Amino acid sequence: MISTDIKNFGILGYPVGHSLSPQMYRAAFTAAGFPNYNYIPLEVPAGKLYFAVEGLKSLDFRGVNVTIPHKTSIMRYLDAIDSDAMVIGAVNTVVNDGGILTGYNTDVSGFLAALAEANFLPDDCHAVILGAGGAARAILWALCKRRAEFITIGARNPQKANALANDFLNYGSVEGFDWNSEEFKEMIQTADILINTTPLGMFPEVDDMPPIDLKLLPEGALIYDIIYNPAETKLLRLAKEMGFPTLNGLSMLLLQGKEAFRLYTGQVPDLKLMKKALEKSLKLK
Ligand code: NAP
């Protein structure tokens, strides 16, 4: 007999083979007493997104996480978008309430919760963000919401850094720079936190790092790399050797997943178990 309390979830992207989400959510569902909740990778090429979203409704999926390249393009197929996702222009979680699809962006709360766990108060800080892509947008919005005093964006492409800064001028004091410029080198000398949102240093290119002279940063600045594979990037290793406090991307990944789980089930997941599942699947990669 088919159980009626089966619910389906998944990660929608292209590709999705590398994703750690299936292991993380399956562990959390089982621990929360939902053995009939399935979580599957949904590999959907860009041209098929509309049909995939219609399929989620037809097959009564309860929710999906969304990853590259669909975070922005999926928005046009949803019925409602929450306010964070609307400002950022990207959705990473979709919840299906009886055929009504609502999009959320849990990177915002995941990032802020990770900072809180590291005892870093973003209010009134000078934050430096490296990179101007999707994760940078979510982090920039999170910092504006928490009233960071000033946010400096440094990127290899200054046009993109400026465009991102301009999009958020109504929400805070934000400026974009070429990360090789003298102005940027001057700016980072007053940073309270430096956040790498580029993939430089991510597995397998573990010898890469953003072109930052850590010697320019003030003592005690938090060096935060949102990469989680490897757990210690070259940037974090050098920063640690120089005595800076450091933080990697695992807690943000975990805590954005916690928020998505809450949206899916109305419950708080067992974070220890989710973390264990994440670390186990990272070791297998
Ligand atoms: P994205 O939208 O593609 O943005 C990537 C940014 O990095 C862009 O500004 C891009 O510059 C820059 N970049 C890429 N390759 C570069 C290179 N070789 N040299 C210099 N700059 C480079 O990607 P995303 O979604 O923001 O994700 C970025 C990283 O964050 C990934 O490593 C991802 O795994 C990680 N992430 C972690 C979490 C977490 O929970 N811990 C959440 C989200 C993302 P151009 O525009 O010039 O190409």
Side-chain angles (χ1 to χ4, degrees), residues 203-255:
F203 182 83
E205 311 296 341
V206 295
D207 290 328
D208 287 352
M209 67 174 270
I212 293 300
D213 183 356
L214 288 168
K215 286 197 288 296
L216 294 176
L217 283 139
E219 195 184 330
L222 176 63
I223 311 299
Y224 186 0
D225 198 331
I226 68 165
I227 290 172
Y228 45 81
N229 186 17
E232 187 172 78
T233 56
K234 183 176 177 187
L235 174 69
L236 291 190
R237 191 177 72 247
L238 293 183
K240 207 184 250 178
E241 281 168 12
M242 290 172 70
F244 289 103
T246 60
L247 182 62
N248 72 16
L250 196 70
S251 52
M252 176 175 167
L253 180 69
L254 183 69
L255 293 163

Coordinates of all heavy atoms in Angstrom, one line a residue, residues 203-255:
F203 N 37.8 23.6 -4.3 CA 38.2 22.3 -4.8 C 37.8 22.2 -6.3 O 36.7 22.6 -6.6 CB 37.6 21.1 -4.0 CG 38.0 19.8 -4.5 CD1 39.2 19.3 -4.1 CD2 37.2 19.1 -5.4 CE1 39.6 18.0 -4.5 CE2 37.7 17.8 -5.9 CZ 38.8 17.3 -5.4
P204 N 38.6 21.8 -7.2 CA 39.9 21.2 -7.1 C 41.1 22.3 -7.1 O 42.2 21.9 -7.0 CB 40.1 20.2 -8.2 CG 39.2 20.8 -9.3 CD 38.1 21.6 -8.6
E205 N 40.7 23.6 -7.4 CA 41.7 24.6 -7.6 C 42.2 25.2 -6.2 O 42.0 26.4 -6.0 CB 41.2 25.7 -8.5 CG 40.5 25.3 -9.8 CD 41.5 24.6 -10.7 OE1 42.7 24.8 -10.6 OE2 41.0 23.9 -11.6
V206 N 42.7 24.3 -5.4 CA 42.9 24.7 -4.0 C 44.1 25.6 -3.8 O 44.3 26.2 -2.7 CB 43.0 23.4 -3.1 CG1 41.7 22.7 -3.0 CG2 44.2 22.6 -3.5
D207 N 44.9 25.8 -4.8 CA 46.1 26.7 -4.7 C 45.7 28.1 -5.1 O 46.6 29.0 -5.0 CB 47.3 26.2 -5.5 CG 47.8 24.9 -4.9 OD1 47.8 24.8 -3.7 OD2 48.3 24.0 -5.7
D208 N 44.5 28.3 -5.5 CA 44.1 29.7 -5.9 C 43.6 30.5 -4.6 O 43.2 29.9 -3.7 CB 42.9 29.7 -6.9 CG 43.3 29.2 -8.2 OD1 44.5 29.1 -8.5 OD2 42.4 29.0 -9.1
M209 N 43.7 31.8 -4.8 CA 43.0 32.6 -3.7 C 42.9 34.0 -4.4 O 43.5 34.4 -5.3 CB 43.9 32.7 -2.5 CG 45.2 33.4 -2.6 SD 46.0 33.6 -1.0 CE 45.4 35.2 -0.4
P210 N 42.0 34.8 -3.8 CA 41.8 36.2 -4.4 C 43.1 37.0 -4.2 O 43.8 36.7 -3.2 CB 40.6 36.8 -3.6 CG 40.0 35.6 -2.8 CD 41.1 34.6 -2.7
P211 N 43.4 38.0 -5.0 CA 44.6 38.7 -5.0 C 44.6 39.8 -3.9 O 44.5 41.0 -4.2 CB 44.7 39.3 -6.4 CG 43.3 39.5 -6.8 CD 42.5 38.4 -6.2
I212 N 44.6 39.3 -2.6 CA 44.5 40.2 -1.5 C 45.7 40.2 -0.7 O 46.2 39.1 -0.3 CB 43.3 39.8 -0.6 CG1 42.0 40.0 -1.4 CG2 43.2 40.6 0.7 CD1 41.7 41.4 -1.8
D213 N 46.3 41.4 -0.3 CA 47.4 41.4 0.5 C 46.9 41.5 2.0 O 46.5 42.6 2.5 CB 48.3 42.6 0.2 CG 49.6 42.7 1.0 OD1 49.7 41.8 1.9 OD2 50.4 43.6 0.8
L214 N 46.9 40.4 2.7 CA 46.4 40.3 4.0 C 47.1 41.2 5.0 O 46.5 41.7 6.0 CB 46.4 38.9 4.5 CG 45.4 37.9 3.9 CD1 45.7 36.5 4.3 CD2 43.9 38.3 4.3
K215 N 48.3 41.6 4.7 CA 49.1 42.5 5.6 C 48.4 43.8 5.7 O 48.7 44.6 6.6 CB 50.5 42.6 5.0 CG 51.4 41.4 5.3 CD 52.9 41.7 5.1 CE 53.3 41.9 3.7 NZ 53.2 40.8 2.8
L216 N 47.6 44.2 4.7 CA 47.0 45.5 4.7 C 45.8 45.6 5.7 O 45.3 46.7 6.0 CB 46.5 45.9 3.3 CG 47.5 46.1 2.2 CD1 46.9 46.4 0.9 CD2 48.4 47.3 2.6
L217 N 45.3 44.4 6.1 CA 44.1 44.4 6.9 C 44.4 44.7 8.4 O 45.5 44.3 8.9 CB 43.4 43.0 6.8 CG 42.6 42.9 5.5 CD1 42.8 41.6 4.8 CD2 41.2 43.3 5.7
P218 N 43.5 45.3 9.1 CA 43.8 45.6 10.5 C 43.8 44.3 11.3 O 43.0 43.4 11.0 CB 42.7 46.5 10.9 CG 41.7 46.5 9.9 CD 42.2 45.9 8.6
E219 N 44.5 44.3 12.4 CA 44.6 43.2 13.3 C 43.2 42.9 13.8 O 42.4 43.8 14.1 CB 45.5 43.6 14.5 CG 45.9 42.5 15.4 CD 46.7 43.1 16.6 OE1 47.3 44.1 16.4 OE2 46.6 42.5 17.6
G220 N 42.8 41.6 13.9 CA 41.5 41.2 14.4 C 40.4 41.2 13.4 O 39.3 40.7 13.8
A221 N 40.7 41.6 12.2 CA 39.6 41.5 11.2 C 39.2 40.1 10.9 O 40.1 39.2 10.9 CB 40.0 42.2 9.9
L222 N 37.9 39.8 10.8 CA 37.5 38.4 10.5 C 37.6 38.1 9.1 O 37.1 38.9 8.2 CB 36.0 38.3 11.0 CG 35.4 36.9 10.7 CD1 36.1 35.8 11.4 CD2 33.9 36.9 11.0
I223 N 38.3 37.1 8.7 CA 38.5 36.6 7.3 C 37.6 35.5 7.1 O 37.7 34.4 7.7 CB 40.0 36.2 7.0 CG1 40.9 37.3 7.5 CG2 40.1 36.0 5.5 CD1 40.8 38.7 6.9
Y224 N 36.6 35.7 6.3 CA 35.5 34.8 6.1 C 35.5 34.3 4.6 O 35.4 35.1 3.7 CB 34.2 35.5 6.4 CG 32.9 34.7 6.4 CD1 32.8 33.4 6.2 CD2 31.7 35.4 6.7 CE1 31.7 32.7 6.2 CE2 30.5 34.7 6.8 CZ 30.5 33.3 6.5 OH 29.3 32.6 6.5
D225 N 35.6 33.0 4.4 CA 35.6 32.5 3.1 C 34.3 31.6 3.0 O 34.2 30.6 3.7 CB 36.8 31.6 2.8 CG 37.0 31.4 1.3 OD1 36.0 31.4 0.6 OD2 38.2 31.3 0.8
I226 N 33.4 31.9 2.1 CA 32.1 31.1 2.1 C 32.3 29.8 1.4 O 31.3 29.0 1.3 CB 30.9 32.0 1.6 CG1 31.0 32.3 0.1 CG2 30.7 33.2 2.4 CD1 29.7 32.7 -0.5
I227 N 33.5 29.6 0.9 CA 33.7 28.2 0.3 C 33.7 27.2 1.4 O 34.2 27.5 2.5 CB 35.1 28.2 -0.4 CG1 35.0 29.1 -1.7 CG2 35.6 26.8 -0.7 CD1 36.4 29.3 -2.4
Y228 N 33.2 26.0 1.2 CA 33.2 25.0 2.3 C 34.0 23.7 1.8 O 34.2 22.8 2.6 CB 31.8 24.6 2.7 CG 30.8 24.4 1.5 CD1 30.8 23.2 0.9 CD2 30.0 25.4 1.1 CE1 30.0 23.0 -0.2 CE2 29.1 25.3 0.0 CZ 29.1 24.1 -0.6 OH 28.3 23.9 -1.7
N229 N 34.4 23.7 0.6 CA 35.2 22.6 0.1 C 36.4 23.1 -0.6 O 36.2 23.6 -1.8 CB 34.4 21.6 -0.8 CG 35.2 20.4 -1.1 OD1 36.2 20.1 -0.5 ND2 34.7 19.7 -2.2
P230 N 37.6 23.1 0.0 CA 38.0 22.5 1.2 C 37.6 23.4 2.4 O 37.2 24.5 2.3 CB 39.5 22.5 1.1 CG 39.9 23.7 0.3 CD 38.8 23.8 -0.7
A231 N 37.6 22.7 3.6 CA 37.2 23.4 4.8 C 38.2 24.6 5.1 O 37.7 25.6 5.7 CB 37.2 22.4 6.0
E232 N 39.4 24.4 4.7 CA 40.4 25.5 4.9 C 41.0 25.9 3.6 O 41.8 25.1 3.0 CB 41.5 25.2 5.9 CG 42.3 26.4 6.3 CD 43.3 26.1 7.4 OE1 44.3 25.5 7.1 OE2 43.0 26.6 8.5
T233 N 40.5 27.0 3.0 CA 41.1 27.4 1.7 C 42.5 28.0 2.0 O 42.8 28.3 3.1 CB 40.2 28.5 1.1 OG1 40.0 29.6 2.0 CG2 38.8 27.9 0.7
K234 N 43.2 28.3 0.9 CA 44.5 28.9 1.0 C 44.3 30.3 1.7 O 45.1 30.6 2.5 CB 45.1 29.1 -0.4 CG 46.5 29.7 -0.4 CD 47.1 29.7 -1.8 CE 48.5 30.4 -1.8 NZ 49.0 30.6 -3.1
L235 N 43.3 31.0 1.3 CA 43.0 32.3 1.9 C 42.9 32.2 3.5 O 43.6 32.9 4.2 CB 41.8 33.0 1.4 CG 41.3 34.3 2.1 CD1 42.3 35.4 1.7 CD2 39.9 34.7 1.6
L236 N 42.2 31.2 3.9 CA 42.0 31.0 5.4 C 43.2 30.5 6.0 O 43.6 30.9 7.2 CB 40.8 30.1 5.6 CG 39.4 30.6 5.3 CD1 38.3 29.6 5.8 CD2 39.1 32.0 5.8
R237 N 44.0 29.7 5.3 CA 45.2 29.1 5.9 C 46.2 30.3 6.2 O 46.7 30.4 7.3 CB 45.8 28.1 5.0 CG 46.9 27.3 5.7 CD 47.5 26.2 4.8 NE 48.3 26.7 3.7 CZ 47.9 26.6 2.4 NH1 46.8 26.0 2.1 NH2 48.7 27.1 1.5
L238 N 46.4 31.1 5.2 CA 47.3 32.2 5.3 C 46.9 33.2 6.4 O 47.6 33.7 7.2 CB 47.5 33.0 4.0 CG 48.2 32.2 2.8 CD1 48.3 33.1 1.6 CD2 49.5 31.7 3.3
A239 N 45.5 33.5 6.4 CA 45.0 34.4 7.4 C 45.2 33.9 8.8 O 45.6 34.6 9.7 CB 43.5 34.6 7.1
K240 N 45.0 32.6 9.0 CA 45.2 32.0 10.3 C 46.6 32.1 10.7 O 47.0 32.4 11.9 CB 44.7 30.5 10.2 CG 44.3 29.9 11.6 CD 44.0 28.5 11.4 CE 42.5 28.2 11.5 NZ 42.2 26.8 11.4
E241 N 47.5 31.8 9.8 CA 49.0 31.8 10.1 C 49.4 33.3 10.5 O 50.3 33.4 11.3 CB 49.8 31.5 8.8 CG 49.9 30.0 8.6 CD 50.4 29.6 7.2 OE1 51.0 30.5 6.5 OE2 50.3 28.4 6.9
M242 N 48.6 34.3 10.0 CA 49.0 35.7 10.4 C 48.2 36.1 11.6 O 48.3 37.3 12.0 CB 48.6 36.6 9.2 CG 49.6 36.4 8.0 SD 49.0 37.3 6.5 CE 49.3 39.0 7.1
G243 N 47.4 35.2 12.2 CA 46.8 35.5 13.5 C 45.4 36.1 13.4 O 44.8 36.5 14.4
F244 N 44.8 36.1 12.1 CA 43.4 36.6 12.0 C 42.4 35.5 12.4 O 42.6 34.4 12.2 CB 43.1 37.0 10.5 CG 43.9 38.2 10.0 CD1 45.0 38.0 9.2 CD2 43.4 39.4 10.3 CE1 45.6 39.1 8.7 CE2 44.1 40.6 9.8 CZ 45.2 40.4 9.0
P245 N 41.3 35.9 13.0 CA 40.2 35.0 13.2 C 39.6 34.6 11.8 O 39.6 35.5 10.9 CB 39.2 35.7 14.0 CG 39.5 37.2 13.8 CD 41.0 37.3 13.5
T246 N 39.2 33.4 11.6 CA 38.7 32.9 10.3 C 37.4 32.1 10.4 O 37.1 31.6 11.5 CB 39.8 32.0 9.6 OG1 40.0 30.8 10.5 CG2 41.1 32.7 9.3
L247 N 36.7 32.1 9.3 CA 35.4 31.4 9.3 C 35.3 30.8 7.9 O 35.5 31.5 6.9 CB 34.3 32.3 9.6 CG 32.9 31.8 9.7 CD1 32.7 30.7 10.8 CD2 31.9 32.9 9.9
N248 N 34.8 29.5 7.8 CA 34.6 29.0 6.4 C 33.1 28.9 6.1 O 32.3 29.3 6.9 CB 35.3 27.6 6.3 CG 34.6 26.5 7.1 OD1 33.5 26.6 7.5 ND2 35.3 25.4 7.2
G249 N 32.7 28.4 5.0 CA 31.4 28.5 4.5 C 30.4 27.4 5.0 O 29.2 27.4 4.6
L250 N 30.9 26.4 5.8 CA 30.1 25.3 6.2 C 28.9 25.7 7.0 O 27.8 25.3 6.8 CB 30.9 24.3 6.9 CG 30.3 22.9 7.0 CD1 30.2 22.2 5.7 CD2 31.0 22.0 8.0
S251 N 29.1 26.7 8.0 CA 28.0 27.1 8.8 C 26.9 27.8 8.1 O 25.8 27.6 8.3 CB 28.5 27.9 10.0 OG 29.3 28.9 9.6
M252 N 27.3 28.6 7.1 CA 26.3 29.3 6.2 C 25.5 28.3 5.5 O 24.3 28.4 5.4 CB 27.0 30.3 5.3 CG 26.0 31.0 4.3 SD 26.9 32.2 3.3 CE 25.6 32.5 2.1
L253 N 26.2 27.3 4.9 CA 25.5 26.2 4.1 C 24.5 25.5 5.0 O 23.3 25.3 4.7 CB 26.5 25.2 3.6 CG 26.0 24.1 2.8 CD1 25.4 24.6 1.4 CD2 27.1 23.1 2.5
L254 N 25.0 25.2 6.2 CA 24.1 24.4 7.2 C 22.9 25.3 7.6 O 21.8 24.8 7.7 CB 25.0 24.1 8.4 CG 24.4 23.2 9.4 CD1 24.2 21.8 8.9 CD2 25.4 23.1 10.6
L255 N 23.2 26.5 7.9 CA 22.2 27.4 8.5 C 21.1 27.9 7.5 O 20.0 28.1 7.8 CB 22.8 28.5 9.3 CG 23.6 28.0 10.5 CD1 24.5 29.1 11.1 CD2 22.6 27.6 11.6

